[in-house]
Amino acid sequence: MEQLHLYNSLSRRKELFEPLNPPFVGLYLCGPTVYSDPHLGNARSAVNFDILYRYLLHLGYRVRYVRNITDVGHLEGDADEGEDKIGKKARLEQVEPMEIAQRYADRYLDMLDQLNVLRPSIVPRATGHIPEQIALVESILAAGYAYVAGGSVYFDVPKYARDYPYGALSGRTLDEMLAVTRELEGTTEKRHPADFALWKRAAPEHLMRWQSPWGEGFPGWHLECTVMSTKYLGNPFDVHGGGMDLKFPHHEAEMAQTNACCPPGAPTHQARYWLHNNMVTLNGAKMTKSLGNTLSTWEIYAGSSPLLTKAYSPMATRFFILQAHYRSTLDFTDAGLAAAEKGLGRLMGALAKLPTLTAGATSSLDVAAWERDLYGALNDDLNTAVALAELFKAAGWVHAVASGEESLDGEALAALHETYRVVLVDVLGLKPELDGQTHAQLDATLGLLVELRLEARKAKNWALSDRIRDELKAAGIQLNDGPQGTSWVVE
């Protein structure tokens, strides 16, 4: 593939990426509900869509990237009844709900900064768009696809489904939805079990509430993303992203709310491409706050979880996420993080060694074909797993050229250096964790050890020579002996 193709959940196939108004691209990602520390699953979604953002910028597009913060608070179980998650935490800690929202929004952004996730163009908050959400409810009511019941407003799913393809994104029919939709205690005011809340009347104990034409209440979960995405990106826009668990009901409801304000028979689908990343699992179960099986990135950095044998850095964590294609399940293991740490070290070692290579008269390696394969992986639905494999291939070339086993002429060496750096650092967002001075000190120290080993071999002191090699190997550093001398690489 020479052009970017993305898997569109709406069509269920890979499609050529063609923005509505090139070179401009509108990208929206559903952000977190901020009532507790973010976990590895939250990190995965942000990192995966950071790759899309970075790659679109690399391709020359002008991207407006919007990622929201939900600071209103979903009801427990993301249903239409129950207690507000932010309000519940605020009541437990005896603080204002917005203190909870601010604290964990800051924690979320701190986590992404450590993971080298680029800040979006706009980070809107649900509480900052209450008037727009009320206006959207009024528009849906005026179109006849909602009804008021007891101070709440519900979306009329059966009526909408007669005019629009409800279930187009999730692939579910209304009958199938009925089969898995259970009546919850206190929801008898709904006309139909599949109907969902656009606006909820606030119970006396509910802390977060706003005035509306229907009395004091708060917006339904799905409303905010419809409002904020279309406000800042237009209707329709290019790409809407989120976790696979949001496909239904959240994204299906978003699309329905948007279409309900359009002329019958002319749905926009809100976004042209719908992208969904898969889940992080732990012992085969989805990692989620509601199941209590989450692992925070701070636990990973500190090595404080019983699931870990040691601490791992933010870049090793980012590398771990990128080892799997974004639509594949990512199963958490300590061994997987350890492998990611070693892999990252190997790629960064090659990046540091590239400037020291000397060009030869001819090339024994096909850099142009490697570049095609590397970009082919990225253009094939952002296949970071294959892209990393191509970078490992190039890292092997770097050490082969350094040892004299292979050669690159000046043009090929320059191309390898530039493409390797751009994809590794700019597109994949992996950065050296050692500064230049520290890496130079490490290089000088290893150079001295290599020299001592060489002197030991000349003196036939095989015990010392083998000890230096074995101790370095145990520390994750492989020595490679070649015609031009000995080079080292982080395994």
Side-chain angles (χ1 to χ4, degrees):
M1 294 181 179
E2 295 183 357
Q3 294 176 282
L4 176 60
H5 286 69
L6 298 173
Y7 183 87
N8 190 347
S9 296
L10 185 60
S11 65
R12 296 169 185 78
R13 61 183 177 86
K14 291 179 188 177
E15 296 180 4
L16 175 66
F17 178 67
E18 296 179 295
L20 294 164
N21 299 294
F24 302 98
V25 173
L27 168 62
Y28 185 86
L29 175 64
C30 290
T33 302
V34 284
Y35 67 97
S36 63
D37 266 337
H39 57 77
L40 191 59
N42 301 130
R44 184 185 191 188
S45 183
V47 168
N48 287 153
F49 284 94
D50 183 55
I51 299 300
L52 175 60
Y53 182 34
R54 286 171 175 272
Y55 194 51
L56 290 172
L57 293 173
H58 174 67
L59 293 176
Y61 291 110
R62 296 181 61 182
V63 185
R64 178 176 290 174
Y65 180 20
V66 182
R67 186 186 64 225
N68 75 299
I69 294 287
T70 296
D71 56 353
V72 171
H74 301 168
L75 299 180
E76 292 195 299
D78 296 330
D80 288 336
E81 298 295 327
E83 191 171 3
D84 171 13
K85 296 174 182 178
I86 293 176
K88 180 179 180 180
K89 188 73 173 243
R91 188 173 283 107
L92 286 172
E93 297 193 14
Q94 298 184 327
V95 297
E96 283 292 321
M98 290 310 294
E99 289 183 61
I100 297 296
Q102 188 63 51
R103 178 196 308 168
Y104 290 110
D106 289 344
R107 292 280 282 176
Y108 176 73
L109 295 175
D110 287 346
M111 174 190 76
L112 300 191
D113 286 343
Q114 290 175 308
L115 289 168
N116 199 30
V117 171
L118 299 178
R119 290 287 176 101
S121 316
I122 304 172
V123 184
R125 296 190 179 217
T127 53
H129 297 78
I130 299 297
E132 293 94 332
Q133 294 180 70
I134 291 173
L136 180 59
V137 175
E138 291 176 321
S139 295
I140 297 173
L141 279 167
Y145 294 108
Y147 56 91
V148 180
S152 297
V153 184
Y154 292 96
F155 192 88
D156 192 332
V157 171
K159 184 173 182 180
Y160 172 84
R162 289 196 291 269
D163 298 326
Y164 296 92
Y166 191 65
L169 181 62
S170 62
R172 302 186 188 193
T173 67
L174 190 56
D175 289 340
E176 289 172 332
M177 293 175 199
L178 282 176
V180 297
T181 301
R182 63 184 179 90
E183 281 284 9
L184 299 173
E185 184 179 354
T187 62
T188 53
E189 63 188 15
K190 287 185 181 183
R191 294 178 183 172
H192 193 279
D195 295 349
F196 57 87
L198 297 172
W199 187 266
K200 282 291 294 180
R201 177 187 68 255
E205 67 275 10
H206 198 96
L207 297 177
M208 303 183 82
R209 59 179 66 214
W210 291 265
Q211 286 293 339
S212 78
W214 316 285
E216 280 196 341
F218 54 95
W221 170 31
H222 316 301
L223 201 63
E224 64 185 82
C225 288
T226 296
V227 164
M228 290 187 283
S229 63
T230 56
K231 175 176 180 176
Y232 296 110
L233 300 175
N235 181 27
F237 57 92
D238 293 300
V239 182
H240 193 311
M244 191 171 289
D245 56 333
L246 297 181
K247 190 183 296 185
F248 183 86
H250 186 50
H251 289 165
E252 194 77 68
E254 272 193 67
M255 187 184 294
Q257 291 166 160
T258 307
N259 290 339
C261 299
C262 298
T268 68
H269 297 306
Q270 188 177 352
R272 186 169 184 177
Y273 303 89
W274 289 80
L275 273 62
H276 294 93
N277 66 277
N278 214 320
M279 301 295 102
V280 178
T281 58
L282 182 62
N283 296 324
K286 184 182 79 169
M287 189 177 289
T288 175
K289 296 173 186 176
S290 61
L291 294 177
N293 66 343
T294 61
L295 181 71
S296 78
T297 55
W298 288 279
E299 289 177 295
I300 295 173
Y301 306 155
S304 58
S305 167
L307 299 169
L308 301 169
T309 57
K310 55 171 286 187
Y312 297 96
S313 71
M315 284 301 97
T317 305
R318 183 180 176 104
F319 189 99
F320 172 72
I321 291 171
L322 297 181
Q323 286 183 119
H325 186 271
Y326 77 90
R327 286 191 292 113
S328 300
T329 301
L330 177 64
D331 192 47
F332 170 81
T333 64
D334 179 70
L337 273 172
E341 183 180 61
K342 287 187 177 181
L344 176 67
R346 180 173 176 81
L347 294 186
M348 288 303 166
L351 179 66
K353 192 173 287 291
L354 266 166
T356 70
L357 299 183
T358 302
T362 60
S363 292
S364 59
L365 301 167
D366 192 342
V367 174
W370 169 77
E371 287 179 314
R372 287 193 297 272
D373 291 342
L374 176 61
Y375 279 105
L378 293 171
N379 287 330
D380 185 14
D381 196 29
L382 304 172
N383 198 326
T384 55
V386 174
L388 286 172
E390 291 297 328
L391 290 173
F392 277 119
K393 178 180 180 180
W397 287 1
V398 169
H399 295 287
V401 171
S403 66
E405 297 172 26
E406 303 284 359
S407 65
L408 291 171
D409 62 27
E411 183 178 353
L413 181 57
L416 179 66
H417 188 182
E418 178 65 10
T419 301
Y420 187 93
R421 183 198 63 78
V422 165
V423 173
L424 181 66
V425 179
D426 296 347
V427 176
L428 298 185
L430 295 164
K431 61 182 181 179
E433 295 181 294
L434 298 177
D435 57 34
Q437 180 180 356
T438 303
H439 199 284
Q441 292 169 339
L442 176 62
D443 196 48
T445 301
L446 289 173
L448 176 60
L449 289 171
V450 167
E451 188 175 326
L452 290 174
R453 178 171 173 266
L454 178 60
E455 291 177 0
R457 293 181 66 175
K458 287 179 179 178
K460 297 186 178 181
N461 186 346
W462 309 120
L464 179 58
S465 171
D466 291 347
R467 181 183 175 189
I468 293 173
R469 180 200 62 205
D470 295 342
E471 291 286 348
L472 288 175
K473 185 173 180 61
I477 298 168
Q478 176 70 48
L479 298 183
N480 297 312
D481 298 316
Q484 305 300 317
T486 300
S487 61
W488 60 270
V489 61
V490 179
E491 291 184 313

